[in-house]
Amino acid sequence: MRLSHRGAHHPLFTVSVLLCALLCPTPAGASEGPGTSAEVARLYEEASAATVRYEAGRRAAKVQHKKVRKLDRLLTKERHAVDVLHADLGRMASAQYRSGGDLPQTAQLLLADSPEELMRGQRLLWQADLAVTNAVTKTQRAAARLADAKRTADRARRTLDRRNASLAKLKRGIESKLESAQWTLQGEADRSVAAGQCRGAVRLDQPESPSTRAWVPPVETYELSAGFDSAGARWSHRHTGQDFAVGIGAPVRAVGEGRVESVSCGGGFGIEVVVSHEGGYYTQYAHLAAVTVDQGERVSPGQWLGQAGTTGNSTGPHLHFEVRLTPDLGSGVDPVKWLDERGVQL
């Protein structure tokens, strides 16, 4: 089964929360406070917000990278201009030396044969001096532009490096905090399954969904992994549902309006919820880390039923989703086709 580690969002746990999660299990059948489940759900929301910031930062870094490349090209152009001007100055100096020999300019003028020659010589000297002065000025200006371009490019490069480092730190922080919260939640779920006693519904503050659709996918962000009726060593016969690769704690949603038929834990499916729908169909949500509903409760499309996990006979975090003709295993139909008939394309 192909699994994907989904991004997550997490505030750091306090020591007291972790100790309570490990040392103070909730009595069987009793409803527990939000605890770790709420922490993971909150971290998922933070991760969504952080992902938006991350993507905005990544786009800004891309723009900054283009700016650095443009400045580098400008820097190369300015270096070339300075090199050309230095070469021109060298040629002027050589020409002056060849035309004037080793006599001082004043001596050359005093040795002129006529006033006209004297004036022509003065004019030529003035023009030569002006040309050299202009060349020196242009070279100095070009050198100043080169130095300024280099400083600008260096600043842009440092800004880019800081931005990339900040993005990497943000991403590592999200992954680290969520992973810690996820496995704390999974540990609580595993203890519940091992005892064969469900902990009761964890009531979470679910964000309002803008969707008005009658049917939705069971998870919002996912990758499809093992499909319906596929064969493999992990199943005694064939796979009876569709697997969705998601991270531990990812919200699991009711695909449509219905009533919670059962909430159970233990066995191959670990913690699971079964929902009955009009038309005689049932949907199953298995390998959960927590449930947010009780048996007999009415649910609406997109309402959270629980949080994904890896309880029971599971090789890694994912949601096992089934559509059945009865509440029991063995009456499954292809969930992908069933959802497609209701306008949900996976």
Side-chain angles (χ1 to χ4, degrees):
M1 176 172 60
R2 181 177 48 131
L3 298 176
S4 67
H5 184 227
R6 290 297 168 187
H9 341 52
H10 2 353
L12 290 174
F13 292 115
T14 63
V15 173
S16 60
V17 170
L18 290 174
L19 288 177
C20 183
L22 295 174
L23 303 179
C24 309
T26 304
S31 294
E32 62 173 14
T36 308
S37 296
E39 183 76 0
V40 173
R42 182 164 65 93
L43 289 174
Y44 266 102
E45 291 302 311
E46 287 188 3
S48 296
T51 298
V52 172
R53 295 197 304 273
Y54 180 89
E55 286 301 306
R58 185 185 59 78
R59 289 191 294 271
K62 188 175 181 180
V63 172
Q64 189 73 6
H65 181 67
K66 289 182 179 179
K67 180 179 179 181
V68 169
R69 291 181 60 185
K70 182 178 179 179
L71 289 171
D72 282 340
R73 289 193 296 270
L74 175 61
L75 203 57
T76 300
K77 181 179 178 181
E78 295 290 359
R79 284 198 182 102
H80 177 71
V82 169
D83 290 342
V84 170
L85 289 171
H86 280 153
D88 288 343
L89 277 177
R91 285 193 295 273
M92 287 182 180
S94 298
Q96 275 195 328
Y97 179 79
R98 288 194 300 272
S99 62
D102 57 357
L103 289 176
Q105 295 179 2
T106 303
Q108 295 181 47
L109 293 175
L110 292 174
L111 295 175
D113 294 334
S114 66
E116 292 78 9
E117 186 178 350
L118 175 62
M119 294 299 295
R120 186 169 55 254
Q122 287 179 324
R123 189 165 51 253
L124 289 175
L125 283 175
W126 176 80
Q127 291 174 343
D129 286 341
L130 181 61
V132 171
T133 299
N134 288 339
V136 169
T137 301
K138 288 177 63 177
T139 301
Q140 290 174 339
R141 289 175 179 172
R145 288 196 303 270
L146 173 62
D148 184 63
K150 186 176 185 305
R151 285 192 298 270
T152 302
D154 288 343
R155 282 197 303 269
R157 193 173 288 105
R158 287 194 297 270
T159 300
L160 177 60
D161 290 342
R162 286 195 300 269
R163 189 186 302 278
N164 288 335
S166 177
L167 290 175
K169 183 178 180 180
L170 172 64
K171 187 176 181 181
R172 287 195 302 270
I174 291 172
E175 293 172 346
S176 175
K177 287 186 287 185
L178 183 60
E179 184 176 8
S180 174
Q182 286 174 322
W183 288 109
T184 300
L185 175 63
Q186 183 62 41
E188 295 174 355
D190 288 338
R191 288 189 293 276
S192 177
V193 170
Q197 298 172 320
C198 294
R199 294 176 291 158
V202 178
R203 301 301 178 178
L204 302 177
D205 294 329
Q206 176 178 341
E208 292 186 9
S209 172
S211 175
T212 58
R213 298 174 57 187
W215 301 94
V216 297
V219 285
E220 190 169 6
T221 303
Y222 58 86
E223 287 184 10
L224 296 178
S225 48
F228 177 73
D229 207 30
S230 56
R234 295 184 297 277
W235 311 295
S236 56
H237 299 289
R238 299 183 73 84
H239 195 232
T240 54
Q242 174 63 56
D243 286 349
F244 294 77
V246 292
I248 295 171
V252 173
R253 314 183 297 181
V255 296
E257 184 178 356
R259 184 181 65 85
V260 178
E261 183 76 14
S262 64
V263 176
S264 59
C265 56
F269 286 122
I271 300 175
E272 62 170 319
V273 174
V274 176
V275 176
S276 62
H277 305 276
E278 289 186 4
Y281 287 99
Y282 298 81
T283 53
Q284 180 216 24
Y285 312 78
H287 303 309
L288 304 178
V291 295
T292 60
V293 292
D294 287 317
Q295 183 172 333
E297 188 174 330
R298 297 293 303 182
V299 294
S300 56
Q303 181 178 335
W304 289 359
L305 302 176
Q307 292 170 281
T310 183
T311 55
N313 183 19
S314 170
T315 58
H318 72 286
L319 169 68
H320 175 85
F321 173 74
E322 288 192 21
V323 177
R324 299 172 175 174
L325 298 175
T326 74
D328 304 313
L329 178 65
S331 60
V333 299
D334 188 341
V336 174
K337 292 181 179 178
W338 188 84
L339 285 174
D340 186 64
E341 292 171 358
R342 286 154 180 79
V344 178
Q345 295 183 342
L346 301 178

